[in-house]
Coordinates of all heavy atoms in Angstrom, one line a residue:
M447 N 149.9 160.5 88.2 CA 149.8 159.1 88.3 C 149.1 158.5 87.2 O 148.1 159.0 86.7 CB 149.2 158.7 89.7 CG 150.0 158.9 90.9 SD 149.3 158.1 92.3 CE 149.4 159.3 93.5
A448 N 149.5 157.4 86.7 CA 148.9 156.7 85.7 C 147.5 156.1 86.2 O 147.4 155.7 87.3 CB 149.7 155.5 85.1
V449 N 146.5 156.1 85.3 CA 145.2 155.5 85.7 C 145.1 154.2 85.0 O 145.3 154.1 83.8 CB 144.1 156.5 85.2 CG1 142.7 155.8 85.5 CG2 144.2 157.8 86.0
V450 N 144.8 153.2 85.8 CA 144.6 151.8 85.2 C 143.1 151.6 85.3 O 142.5 151.7 86.3 CB 145.4 150.7 86.0 CG1 145.1 149.4 85.4 CG2 146.9 151.0 86.1
V451 N 142.6 151.2 84.1 CA 141.2 150.8 84.0 C 141.1 149.3 83.8 O 141.7 148.8 82.9 CB 140.5 151.6 82.8 CG1 139.0 151.2 82.7 CG2 140.7 153.1 82.9
F452 N 140.4 148.7 84.7 CA 140.2 147.2 84.7 C 139.0 146.8 84.0 O 137.9 147.4 84.2 CB 140.2 146.7 86.1 CG 141.4 146.9 86.9 CD1 141.4 147.8 88.0 CD2 142.6 146.2 86.6 CE1 142.6 148.0 88.7 CE2 143.7 146.4 87.3 CZ 143.7 147.3 88.4
S453 N 139.1 145.8 83.1 CA 137.9 145.2 82.5 C 137.1 144.5 83.6 O 137.6 144.2 84.7 CB 138.3 144.2 81.4 OG 139.0 143.1 82.0
S454 N 135.9 144.1 83.3 CA 135.1 143.4 84.3 C 135.7 142.1 84.7 O 135.7 141.6 85.8 CB 133.7 143.2 83.8 OG 133.7 142.4 82.6
G455 N 136.4 141.4 83.7 CA 137.1 140.2 84.0 C 138.2 140.3 85.0 O 138.5 139.5 85.8
L456 N 139.0 141.5 84.9 CA 140.0 141.7 85.8 C 139.5 142.3 87.1 O 140.1 142.1 88.2 CB 141.1 142.6 85.2 CG 142.0 142.0 84.1 CD1 142.9 143.0 83.5 CD2 142.7 140.8 84.6
A457 N 138.4 143.0 87.1 CA 137.9 143.7 88.3 C 137.5 142.6 89.3 O 137.5 142.9 90.5 CB 136.8 144.6 87.9
R458 N 137.2 141.4 88.9 CA 136.9 140.4 89.9 C 138.1 140.0 90.7 O 137.9 139.5 91.8 CB 136.3 139.2 89.2 CG 137.2 138.4 88.3 CD 136.6 137.3 87.6 NE 137.5 136.7 86.7 CZ 137.3 135.8 85.9 NH1 136.1 135.2 85.9 NH2 138.2 135.3 85.1
H459 N 139.3 140.4 90.3 CA 140.5 140.1 91.0 C 140.9 141.3 91.8 O 142.0 141.3 92.5 CB 141.6 139.7 90.1 CG 141.3 138.5 89.3 ND1 141.2 137.2 89.8 CD2 141.1 138.3 87.9 CE1 140.9 136.4 88.9 NE2 140.8 137.0 87.7
T460 N 140.2 142.4 91.7 CA 140.6 143.6 92.4 C 139.5 144.0 93.5 O 139.5 145.1 94.0 CB 140.7 144.8 91.5 OG1 139.4 145.1 90.9 CG2 141.7 144.6 90.4
G461 N 138.7 143.1 93.8 CA 137.6 143.4 94.8 C 136.5 144.3 94.2 O 135.9 145.0 94.9
G462 N 136.4 144.3 92.8 CA 135.4 145.1 92.2 C 135.9 146.5 91.8 O 135.1 147.2 91.1
E463 N 137.1 146.9 92.1 CA 137.6 148.2 91.7 C 137.8 148.2 90.2 O 138.4 147.3 89.6 CB 138.9 148.5 92.4 CG 138.7 148.9 93.8 CD 140.0 149.5 94.4 OE1 140.4 150.5 93.9 OE2 140.5 149.0 95.4
E464 N 137.3 149.2 89.6 CA 137.4 149.3 88.1 C 138.5 150.3 87.6 O 138.9 150.2 86.5 CB 136.0 149.8 87.5 CG 134.9 148.8 87.8 CD 133.6 149.2 87.3 OE1 133.4 150.4 86.9 OE2 132.7 148.4 87.3
R465 N 138.9 151.2 88.5 CA 140.0 152.1 88.2 C 140.9 152.3 89.4 O 140.4 152.4 90.5 CB 139.6 153.5 87.7 CG 138.3 153.6 87.1 CD 137.8 155.1 86.8 NE 138.8 156.0 86.2 CZ 139.0 156.2 85.0 NH1 138.2 155.6 84.1 NH2 139.9 157.1 84.5
V466 N 142.1 152.6 89.1 CA 143.1 152.9 90.2 C 144.2 153.7 89.7 O 144.5 153.6 88.5 CB 143.6 151.6 90.9 CG1 144.5 150.8 89.9 CG2 144.4 151.9 92.1
E467 N 144.7 154.6 90.5 CA 145.8 155.5 90.1 C 147.1 154.8 90.8 O 147.1 154.5 91.9 CB 145.7 156.9 90.6 CG 144.6 157.6 89.9 CD 144.5 159.1 90.3 OE1 145.4 159.6 91.0 OE2 143.5 159.7 89.8
I468 N 148.1 154.7 89.9 CA 149.4 154.1 90.4 C 150.5 155.0 89.9 O 150.5 155.4 88.7 CB 149.5 152.7 89.8 CG1 148.4 151.7 90.3 CG2 150.9 152.1 90.2 CD1 148.5 151.3 91.7
D469 N 151.5 155.2 90.7 CA 152.7 156.0 90.4 C 153.7 155.0 89.9 O 154.4 154.4 90.8 CB 153.1 156.8 91.6 CG 154.2 157.8 91.2 OD1 154.4 158.1 90.0 OD2 154.9 158.2 92.1
A470 N 153.9 154.9 88.6 CA 154.9 154.0 88.1 C 155.5 154.6 86.8 O 154.8 155.3 86.1 CB 154.3 152.6 87.7
R471 N 156.8 154.3 86.6 CA 157.5 154.9 85.4 C 157.4 154.1 84.2 O 157.5 154.6 83.1 CB 159.0 155.2 85.8 CG 159.1 156.2 86.9 CD 160.6 156.5 87.2 NE 160.8 157.3 88.3 CZ 161.0 158.6 88.2 NH1 161.2 159.2 87.0 NH2 161.2 159.4 89.3
R472 N 157.3 152.7 84.4 CA 157.3 151.8 83.3 C 156.2 150.7 83.6 O 155.8 150.5 84.7 CB 158.6 151.1 83.0 CG 159.7 152.0 82.6 CD 160.9 151.2 82.2 NE 161.2 150.0 83.0 CZ 162.4 149.5 83.3 NH1 163.4 150.0 82.7 NH2 162.5 148.5 84.1
V473 N 155.8 150.0 82.5 CA 154.8 149.0 82.7 C 155.2 147.9 83.6 O 154.4 147.4 84.4 CB 154.4 148.4 81.3 CG1 153.4 147.2 81.4 CG2 153.7 149.5 80.5
D474 N 156.5 147.4 83.6 CA 156.9 146.4 84.5 C 156.8 146.8 85.9 O 156.3 146.0 86.8 CB 158.4 145.9 84.2 CG 159.4 147.0 84.3 OD1 159.1 148.2 84.2 OD2 160.6 146.7 84.6
Q475 N 157.1 148.0 86.3 CA 156.9 148.5 87.6 C 155.4 148.6 87.9 O 155.0 148.3 89.1 CB 157.5 149.9 87.8 CG 157.4 150.5 89.2 CD 158.0 151.9 89.3 OE1 158.1 152.6 88.3 NE2 158.4 152.2 90.5
L476 N 154.6 149.0 87.0 CA 153.2 149.1 87.2 C 152.6 147.8 87.5 O 151.8 147.6 88.5 CB 152.5 149.7 85.9 CG 151.0 149.7 85.9 CD1 150.5 150.8 86.9 CD2 150.4 150.0 84.5
I477 N 153.0 146.7 86.8 CA 152.4 145.4 87.0 C 152.8 144.9 88.4 O 152.0 144.4 89.1 CB 153.0 144.4 85.9 CG1 152.3 144.7 84.6 CG2 152.7 143.0 86.3 CD1 152.8 144.0 83.4
E478 N 154.1 145.2 88.8 CA 154.5 144.7 90.1 C 153.7 145.4 91.2 O 153.3 144.8 92.2 CB 156.0 144.9 90.3 CG 156.5 144.3 91.5 CD 156.3 142.8 91.7 OE1 156.3 142.1 90.7 OE2 156.0 142.4 92.8
L479 N 153.5 146.7 91.1 CA 152.7 147.4 92.1 C 151.3 147.0 92.1 O 150.7 146.9 93.2 CB 152.8 149.0 91.8 CG 154.2 149.6 92.0 CD1 154.3 151.0 91.5 CD2 154.6 149.5 93.5
L480 N 150.7 146.7 90.9 CA 149.3 146.2 90.9 C 149.2 144.9 91.6 O 148.3 144.6 92.3 CB 148.8 146.2 89.5 CG 148.5 147.5 88.8 CD1 148.3 147.3 87.3 CD2 147.3 148.2 89.5
C481 N 150.2 144.0 91.3 CA 150.1 142.6 91.9 C 150.4 142.7 93.4 O 149.9 141.9 94.2 CB 151.1 141.7 91.2 SG 150.6 141.3 89.6
E482 N 151.1 143.7 93.9 CA 151.3 143.8 95.4 C 150.0 144.3 96.0 O 149.6 143.9 97.1 CB 152.4 144.8 95.6 CG 153.8 144.3 95.4 CD 154.9 145.4 95.6 OE1 154.6 146.5 96.1 OE2 156.0 145.1 95.2
R483 N 149.3 145.2 95.3 CA 148.1 145.8 95.8 C 146.9 144.8 95.7 O 146.1 144.7 96.6 CB 147.8 147.1 95.1 CG 146.6 147.8 95.6 CD 146.5 149.2 94.9 NE 145.8 150.1 95.7 CZ 145.7 151.4 95.4 NH1 146.3 151.8 94.3 NH2 145.0 152.2 96.1
Y484 N 146.9 144.1 94.6 CA 145.8 143.1 94.3 C 146.5 141.7 94.0 O 146.7 141.4 92.8 CB 145.0 143.5 93.1 CG 144.4 144.9 93.2 CD1 145.0 145.9 92.5 CD2 143.4 145.2 94.1 CE1 144.5 147.2 92.5 CE2 142.9 146.5 94.2 CZ 143.4 147.5 93.4 OH 142.9 148.8 93.5
P485 N 146.9 141.0 95.0 CA 147.6 139.7 94.8 C 146.9 138.7 93.8 O 147.5 137.9 93.1 CB 147.7 139.1 96.2 CG 147.6 140.3 97.1 CD 146.7 141.2 96.4
A486 N 145.5 138.8 93.8 CA 144.8 137.9 92.9 C 145.0 138.2 91.4 O 144.7 137.4 90.5 CB 143.3 138.0 93.2
L487 N 145.6 139.4 91.1 CA 145.9 139.7 89.7 C 147.1 138.9 89.2 O 147.3 138.7 88.0 CB 146.2 141.2 89.5 CG 145.0 142.1 89.5 CD1 145.5 143.6 89.4 CD2 144.1 141.8 88.3
R488 N 148.0 138.5 90.1 CA 149.2 137.8 89.7 C 148.9 136.6 88.9 O 148.0 135.8 89.3 CB 150.1 137.5 90.9 CG 151.5 137.1 90.5 CD 152.5 137.0 91.6 NE 152.6 138.2 92.4 CZ 153.4 139.3 92.1 NH1 154.0 139.3 90.9 NH2 153.5 140.3 92.8
G489 N 149.6 136.4 87.8 CA 149.3 135.3 86.9 C 148.2 135.6 85.9 O 148.0 134.8 84.9
H490 N 147.6 136.7 86.0 CA 146.6 137.1 85.0 C 147.1 138.3 84.1 O 146.9 138.2 82.9 CB 145.3 137.5 85.7 CG 144.6 136.4 86.4 ND1 143.9 135.4 85.8 CD2 144.6 136.2 87.7 CE1 143.5 134.6 86.7 NE2 143.9 135.0 87.9
I491 N 147.7 139.3 84.6 CA 148.0 140.4 83.8 C 149.4 140.4 83.2 O 149.7 141.2 82.3 CB 147.8 141.8 84.6 CG1 148.8 141.9 85.8 CG2 146.4 141.9 85.0 CD1 148.7 143.2 86.5
E492 N 150.3 139.6 83.7 CA 151.7 139.6 83.2 C 151.8 139.3 81.8 O 152.7 139.8 81.1 CB 152.5 138.6 84.1 CG 152.7 139.0 85.5 CD 151.7 138.3 86.4 OE1 150.6 138.0 85.9 OE2 152.0 138.1 87.6
Q493 N 150.9 138.4 81.2 CA 151.1 138.0 79.8 C 150.1 138.7 78.9 O 149.9 138.4 77.8 CB 150.9 136.5 79.7 CG 151.9 135.7 80.5 CD 153.3 136.0 80.2 OE1 153.6 136.1 79.0 NE2 154.2 136.2 81.1
M494 N 149.4 139.7 79.4 CA 148.4 140.4 78.6 C 149.0 141.5 77.8 O 150.1 142.0 78.1 CB 147.3 141.0 79.5 CG 146.5 140.0 80.3 SD 145.2 140.6 81.3 CE 143.9 140.6 80.1
A495 N 148.3 141.9 76.7 CA 148.7 143.1 76.0 C 148.3 144.3 76.8 O 147.5 144.2 77.7 CB 148.0 143.1 74.6
V496 N 149.0 145.4 76.5 CA 148.7 146.6 77.3 C 148.4 147.8 76.3 O 149.2 148.0 75.4 CB 149.9 147.0 78.2 CG1 149.6 148.2 79.0 CG2 150.3 145.8 79.1
A497 N 147.3 148.5 76.6 CA 147.0 149.7 75.8 C 147.3 150.9 76.7 O 146.8 151.0 77.8 CB 145.5 149.7 75.4
I498 N 148.2 151.7 76.2 CA 148.6 152.9 76.9 C 148.2 154.1 76.0 O 148.7 154.2 74.9 CB 150.2 152.9 77.1 CG1 150.6 151.6 77.9 CG2 150.6 154.2 77.8 CD1 152.1 151.4 77.9
D499 N 147.3 154.9 76.5 CA 146.8 156.0 75.8 C 146.4 155.6 74.4 O 146.8 156.2 73.4 CB 147.9 157.1 75.8 CG 148.3 157.6 77.2 OD1 147.4 157.6 78.0 OD2 149.4 157.9 77.4
D500 N 145.6 154.6 74.3 CA 145.0 154.1 73.1 C 146.0 153.4 72.1 O 145.6 153.1 71.0 CB 144.2 155.2 72.4 CG 143.1 155.7 73.2 OD1 142.4 154.9 73.9 OD2 142.8 156.9 73.1
Q501 N 147.2 153.2 72.5 CA 148.2 152.5 71.6 C 148.4 151.1 72.3 O 148.9 151.0 73.4 CB 149.5 153.2 71.5 CG 150.4 152.6 70.5 CD 151.7 153.4 70.3 OE1 151.9 154.4 70.9 NE2 152.5 152.9 69.4
V502 N 148.2 150.0 71.5 CA 148.3 148.7 72.0 C 149.7 148.2 71.8 O 150.3 148.3 70.8 CB 147.3 147.7 71.3 CG1 147.5 146.3 71.8 CG2 145.9 148.2 71.5
H503 N 150.3 147.5 72.9 CA 151.6 147.0 72.9 C 151.5 145.5 73.3 O 150.9 145.2 74.4 CB 152.5 147.7 73.9 CG 152.6 149.2 73.7 ND1 153.6 149.7 72.9 CD2 151.9 150.2 74.2 CE1 153.5 151.0 72.9 NE2 152.4 151.3 73.7
N504 N 152.1 144.6 72.5 CA 152.1 143.2 72.9 C 153.3 142.9 73.8 O 153.2 142.0 74.7 CB 152.1 142.3 71.7 CG 150.7 142.2 71.1 OD1 149.7 142.0 71.8 ND2 150.7 142.2 69.8
Q505 N 154.3 143.6 73.7 CA 155.5 143.4 74.5 C 155.8 144.8 75.2 O 156.6 145.6 74.7 CB 156.7 143.0 73.7 CG 156.6 141.8 72.9 CD 156.5 140.5 73.8 OE1 157.1 140.5 74.9 NE2 155.7 139.6 73.4
A506 N 155.1 145.0 76.3 CA 155.1 146.3 76.9 C 155.9 146.5 78.2 O 155.9 147.6 78.7 CB 153.6 146.7 77.2
L507 N 156.6 145.5 78.7 CA 157.2 145.6 80.0 C 158.1 146.9 80.2 O 158.0 147.5 81.2 CB 158.1 144.4 80.3 CG 157.3 143.1 80.6 CD1 158.3 142.0 80.9 CD2 156.4 143.3 81.7
Y508 N 158.8 147.3 79.2 CA 159.7 148.4 79.3 C 159.2 149.7 78.7 O 160.0 150.7 78.6 CB 161.1 148.0 78.8 CG 161.6 146.8 79.6 CD1 161.7 145.6 79.0 CD2 162.0 147.0 80.9 CE1 162.1 144.5 79.7 CE2 162.4 145.8 81.6 CZ 162.5 144.6 81.0 OH 162.9 143.5 81.7
V509 N 157.9 149.7 78.4 CA 157.4 150.9 77.8 C 157.2 152.0 78.9 O 156.6 151.6 80.0 CB 156.0 150.6 77.1 CG1 155.3 151.9 76.6 CG2 156.2 149.7 75.9
P510 N 157.7 153.2 78.7 CA 157.5 154.2 79.7 C 156.1 154.7 79.8 O 155.3 154.7 78.9 CB 158.4 155.3 79.3 CG 158.6 155.1 77.8 CD 158.4 153.7 77.6
L511 N 155.7 155.1 81.0 CA 154.4 155.7 81.3 C 154.5 157.2 81.6 O 155.5 157.6 82.3 CB 153.7 155.0 82.5 CG 153.5 153.5 82.3 CD1 153.1 152.9 83.7 CD2 152.4 153.3 81.3
N512 N 153.6 158.0 81.2 CA 153.5 159.4 81.6 C 152.7 159.5 82.8 O 151.9 158.6 83.2 CB 152.9 160.2 80.4 CG 153.7 160.2 79.2 OD1 154.9 160.3 79.2 ND2 153.1 160.1 78.0
S513 N 152.8 160.6 83.5 CA 152.1 160.8 84.7 C 150.6 160.8 84.5 O 149.8 160.5 85.4 CB 152.5 162.0 85.4 OG 152.3 163.2 84.6
D514 N 150.2 161.1 83.3 CA 148.7 161.1 83.0 C 148.3 160.0 82.0 O 147.2 160.1 81.4 CB 148.4 162.5 82.4 CG 149.1 162.8 81.0 OD1 150.1 162.1 80.7 OD2 148.6 163.7 80.3
S515 N 149.1 158.9 81.9 CA 148.7 157.8 81.0 C 147.5 157.1 81.5 O 147.3 157.0 82.7 CB 149.9 156.8 80.9 OG 150.9 157.4 80.2
E516 N 146.7 156.6 80.5 CA 145.6 155.7 80.9 C 146.0 154.3 80.3 O 146.3 154.2 79.2 CB 144.3 156.2 80.2 CG 143.1 155.3 80.6 CD 141.8 155.9 80.2 OE1 141.4 156.9 80.7 OE2 141.2 155.3 79.3
V517 N 145.9 153.3 81.2 CA 146.4 152.0 80.9 C 145.2 151.0 81.0 O 144.5 151.0 81.9 CB 147.5 151.6 81.8 CG1 148.0 150.2 81.5 CG2 148.6 152.6 81.8
H518 N 145.1 150.1 80.0 CA 144.2 149.0 79.9 C 144.9 147.7 79.6 O 145.8 147.7 78.8 CB 143.1 149.2 78.8 CG 142.3 150.4 79.0 ND1 141.0 150.4 79.4 CD2 142.6 151.7 78.7 CE1 140.5 151.6 79.5 NE2 141.4 152.4 79.1
F519 N 144.6 146.7 80.3 CA 145.2 145.3 80.1 C 144.2 144.6 79.2 O 143.0 144.5 79.5 CB 145.4 144.6 81.4 CG 146.6 145.2 82.1 CD1 146.4 146.2 83.0 CD2 147.9 144.7 81.8 CE1 147.5 146.8 83.7 CE2 149.0 145.3 82.5 CZ 148.8 146.3 83.4
L520 N 144.7 144.0 78.1 CA 143.8 143.3 77.1 C 144.3 141.9 76.8 O 145.6 141.7 76.8 CB 143.9 144.1 75.8 CG 143.6 145.6 75.9 CD1 144.1 146.3 74.6 CD2 142.2 145.9 76.2
P521 N 143.4 141.0 76.5 CA 143.9 139.7 76.0 C 144.7 139.9 74.7 O 144.4 140.7 73.9 CB 142.6 138.9 75.8 CG 141.5 139.7 76.4 CD 142.0 141.1 76.5
R522 N 145.8 139.1 74.6 CA 146.6 139.2 73.4 C 145.8 138.6 72.2 O 145.1 137.6 72.4 CB 147.9 138.4 73.5 CG 148.8 139.2 74.4 CD 150.2 138.7 74.3 NE 151.0 139.5 75.2 CZ 152.3 139.2 75.5 NH1 152.9 138.2 74.9 NH2 153.0 140.0 76.3
I523 N 145.9 139.1 71.1 CA 145.2 138.7 69.9 C 146.2 137.9 69.0 O 147.3 138.5 68.7 CB 144.6 139.8 69.1 CG1 143.6 140.5 70.0 CG2 144.0 139.3 67.8 CD1 143.0 141.8 69.4
G524 N 145.9 136.7 68.8 CA 146.8 135.9 67.9 C 146.2 135.9 66.5 O 145.1 136.4 66.2
G525 N 147.0 135.5 65.6 CA 146.5 135.4 64.2 C 147.7 135.5 63.2 O 148.8 135.4 63.6
G526 N 147.3 135.6 62.0 CA 148.4 135.7 61.0 C 148.6 134.3 60.4 O 147.9 133.3 60.7
R527 N 149.7 134.2 59.7 CA 150.1 132.9 59.1 C 150.8 132.0 60.0 O 151.5 132.5 60.9 CB 150.9 133.2 57.9 CG 150.2 134.0 56.8 CD 151.1 134.2 55.7 NE 150.3 134.9 54.7 CZ 150.6 134.9 53.4 NH1 151.7 134.3 53.0 NH2 149.9 135.6 52.6
D528 N 150.6 130.7 59.8 CA 151.4 129.7 60.6 C 152.8 129.6 60.1 O 153.1 129.8 59.0 CB 150.7 128.4 60.5 CG 149.3 128.4 61.2 OD1 149.2 129.1 62.2 OD2 148.4 127.7 60.8

């Protein structure tokens, strides 16, 4: 099962849980299962960047997860030229 590690900002929406194991094949499924388990997360994690095994993805919905993946949700970083 993938391990999701919550930042302190997100842990306030999980009742203080900082890590959870979830059985999901892709990030979109992971997000849905997390929001079912922790309804207060809905509206917060859907638009975040996702780090999977130390690789950051800004558009991660269809990125596959391994059974031993470690997942972190991060604020998206903007920048570059206008």
Side-chain angles (χ1 to χ4, degrees):
M447 286 194 225
V449 174
V450 180
V451 180
F452 296 109
S453 66
S454 59
L456 288 177
R458 66 182 174 185
H459 302 293
T460 65
E463 285 192 57
E464 295 177 352
R465 334 174 43 94
V466 64
E467 290 186 9
I468 298 284
D469 188 18
R471 294 181 187 260
R472 293 188 321 209
V473 173
D474 61 331
Q475 182 184 25
L476 175 72
I477 289 172
E478 189 56 38
L479 292 170
L480 287 170
C481 289
E482 287 175 12
R483 189 173 201 173
Y484 308 106
L487 282 176
R488 194 167 302 280
H490 296 283
I491 64 172
E492 295 92 333
Q493 301 303 316
M494 297 182 88
V496 182
I498 304 166
D499 300 324
D500 298 323
Q501 184 176 4
V502 178
H503 302 270
N504 282 318
Q505 301 293 328
L507 287 181
Y508 301 106
V509 174
L511 298 169
N512 295 318
S513 61
D514 62 345
S515 288
E516 184 172 293
V517 180
H518 298 258
F519 288 90
L520 311 164
R522 287 195 181 173
I523 298 172
R527 295 180 180 202
D528 291 327

